[in-house]
């Protein structure tokens, strides 16, 4: 459907700024294409090289930075950018591999489940992180100039902040960059991406 057709079928209104200019439309289509192609490309590398998907990798990375490598599942889910249901399924797969253990805990007078990153999980993260970072560099970081990459990061933070400020957005106001920039695995100078 062309922009003209969309305009003709849209409800009439006085908001002349509703429609995207041709340049904005070109940039929007590029962004949608990026959001549709980059995550599966990153996921494919992790599946091929490490036998896990991006969500599972991020669970391991978040747990690696948590105190005692342990988090209550309801706290881990938003940090890993997933629902409790999706997290539960992923934790089950990670448990089968021996990388995570799920255990009961008592928090604030109630029983909860927590995930603990095992020594085997740390070893898997250490083994996996270099390939994941190489793929991030190959697909994004190294194809952009430092200025372009900084602008992309700034734009992403602005969009993430707008999403986090929406009522009932379901996303926590967390700075995941702090988790990953501070992530220093044993024997590494830099942490996971």
């Amino acid at each position: 459907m062309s922009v003209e057709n969309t305009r003709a079928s849209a409800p009439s209104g006085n908001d002349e700024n509703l429609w995207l200019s041709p340049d904005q439309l070109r940039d929007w289509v590029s962004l949608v294409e990026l959001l549709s192609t980059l995550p599966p490309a990153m996921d494919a590398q992790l599946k091929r090289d490490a036998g896990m998907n991006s969500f599972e990798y991020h669970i391991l990375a978040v747990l690696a930075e948590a105190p005692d490598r342990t988090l209550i599942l309801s706290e881990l889910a938003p940090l890993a950018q997933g629902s409790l249901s999706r997290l539960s399924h992923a934790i089950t797969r990670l448990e089968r591999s021996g990388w995570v253990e799920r255990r009961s805990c008592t928090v604030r007078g109630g029983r909860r489940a927590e995930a603990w990153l095992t020594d085997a999980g740390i070893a898997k993260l250490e083994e996996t992180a270099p390939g994941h970072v190489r793929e991030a560099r190959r697909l994004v970081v190294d194809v952009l100039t430092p200025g372009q990459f900084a602008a992309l990061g700034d734009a992403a933070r602005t969009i993430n902040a707008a999403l986090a400020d929406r009522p009932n957005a379901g996303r926590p106001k967390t700075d995941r960059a702090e988790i990953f920039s501070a992530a220093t695995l044993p024997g590494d100078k830099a942490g996971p991406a």
Side-chain angles (χ1 to χ4, degrees):
M1 179 180 280
S2 72
V3 174
E4 289 74 24
N5 290 342
T6 305
R7 286 182 185 166
S9 63
S12 61
N14 295 332
D15 190 354
E16 290 298 317
N17 294 323
L18 176 64
W19 302 109
L20 301 179
S21 71
D23 287 343
Q24 289 172 327
L25 183 60
R26 182 197 71 226
D27 292 340
W28 176 253
V29 168
S30 295
L31 176 61
V32 169
E33 184 178 355
L34 173 66
L35 294 174
S36 298
T37 58
L38 181 60
M42 295 298 296
D43 210 42
Q45 177 274 321
L46 284 168
K47 286 178 182 175
R48 180 186 66 240
D49 297 345
M52 71 177 76
N53 62 39
S54 296
F55 185 59
E56 293 163 342
Y57 176 84
H58 287 291
I59 291 168
L60 298 182
V62 169
L63 285 172
E65 290 308 305
D68 300 321
R69 300 187 323 222
T70 304
L71 280 171
I72 296 168
L73 296 186
S74 60
E75 295 173 358
L76 177 56
L79 291 171
Q81 302 296 310
S83 67
L84 273 173
S85 175
R86 183 177 184 207
L87 177 66
S88 181
H89 291 292
I91 293 290
T92 298
R93 290 188 301 272
L94 294 170
E95 281 182 298
R96 284 189 207 127
S97 298
W99 302 330
V100 171
E101 287 182 12
R102 187 184 336 222
R103 31 190 204 196
S104 293
C105 66
T106 304
V107 178
R108 295 180 283 278
R111 281 182 45 115
R112 301 260 168 75
E114 66 183 11
W116 174 67
L117 182 64
T118 65
D119 291 342
I122 283 284
K124 184 63 175 179
L125 190 58
E126 288 176 338
E127 172 191 318
T128 303
H132 188 58
V133 171
R134 276 192 292 277
E135 191 71 347
R137 284 190 160 283
R138 184 181 77 82
L139 294 176
V140 180
V141 179
D142 293 344
V143 299
L144 300 174
T145 66
Q148 287 173 320
F149 189 60
L152 179 62
D154 187 49
R157 283 185 293 278
T158 301
I159 293 167
N160 286 333
L163 288 169
D165 286 341
R166 286 183 32 223
N168 302 319
R171 297 187 58 186
K173 293 183 182 183
T174 58
D175 186 355
R176 292 181 70 216
E178 286 181 16
I179 294 169
F180 298 117
S181 67
T184 303
L185 299 171
D188 272 355
K189 291 184 180 176

